[in-house]
Amino acid sequence: MKKSYFLILGILAGFVVGYCVSELLTEGVPLPSSGDDLPQPLTGTEAARYKEECSALDLSTSGEDPYVLNGQRVWVEGTVYKKGESYGIRPQETFIALKINTTPEYILLSYAGTTPIKIGDRIRAYGEYFYPAEDTTTPELKNKELPMIKVVYIEKIRVKGP
């Protein structure tokens, strides 16, 4: 009896926590999409072909007119500054604030699924550029319109040690 009680209690607690976290993350990072219209993650030869079609995100171009790149396939490289995942709703979605290493800039990433990438990881993300997006939960990014990449492929970059 005790085992089943704790099992049911654990399932209910997991659902409530998951739902609340997903609501906070969804409300905290207003995006132009729900997870339903994000492109699906790619693997294998599909990912390789997609990567070939992407060009490096040119922040100077997007700085002059941030809308000019909307819809273009780009890749961006940086360090994961913040990460959140939606739980309890379908489809699952990962939100990342990416610090661009060569500038003081940030890019928001939205990925339809979950990823083992964690804060501090250096990554390269491939996807479709979108502007504007906003992260309302990170103090230094609050109330700023930022570019976002609707990501289809993420790869961790191995940093070579000294």
Side-chain angles (χ1 to χ4, degrees), residues 12 23 34 53 77 81 95 100 118 134 151 153 162:
L12 284 173
E23 288 300 307
S34 68
E53 296 172 2
E77 194 172 292
Y81 181 73
F95 309 101
I100 306 304
K118 60 187 182 306
E134 185 178 348
V151 177
Y153 186 75

Side-chain angles (χ1 to χ4, degrees), residues 8-158:
I8 291 170
L9 188 59
I11 290 170
L12 284 173
F15 176 76
V16 170
V17 169
Y19 178 78
C20 291
V21 168
S22 78
E23 288 300 307
L24 285 172
L25 289 172
T26 302
E27 289 177 19
V29 185
L31 299 172
S33 64
S34 68
D36 293 327
D37 67 350
L38 283 174
Q40 290 303 303
L42 300 176
T43 59
T45 57
E46 288 179 323
R49 266 188 257 133
Y50 191 95
K51 288 168 56 174
E52 290 175 4
E53 296 172 2
C54 293
S55 58
L57 177 60
D58 182 354
L59 291 172
S60 64
T61 301
S62 64
E64 294 168 12
D65 179 4
Y67 296 92
V68 74
L69 297 175
N70 272 350
Q72 291 188 20
R73 291 182 175 186
V74 297
W75 63 265
V76 65
E77 194 172 292
T79 302
V80 176
Y81 181 73
K82 183 177 180 182
K83 177 186 174 187
E85 293 176 339
S86 64
Y87 293 101
I89 59 173
R90 292 285 179 214
Q92 290 185 314
E93 191 170 354
T94 299
F95 309 101
I96 295 173
L98 188 71
K99 171 74 173 92
I100 306 304
N101 299 330
T102 57
T103 72
E105 302 293 324
Y106 292 87
I107 301 282
L108 301 178
L109 306 178
S110 185
Y111 181 72
T114 59
T115 174
I117 299 297
K118 60 187 182 306
I119 293 173
D121 284 347
R122 188 170 168 124
I123 65 169
R124 183 177 285 179
Y126 299 83
E128 185 179 305
Y129 177 93
F130 180 86
Y131 183 87
E134 185 178 348
D135 177 343
T136 59
T137 62
T138 307
E140 51 274 45
L141 303 180
K142 205 170 201 173
N143 300 319
K144 291 183 182 180
E145 290 184 337
L146 297 169
M148 181 182 78
I149 309 298
K150 296 178 184 181
V151 177
V152 297
Y153 186 75
I154 300 174
E155 57 190 15
K156 186 173 178 179
I157 298 171
R158 304 279 178 225

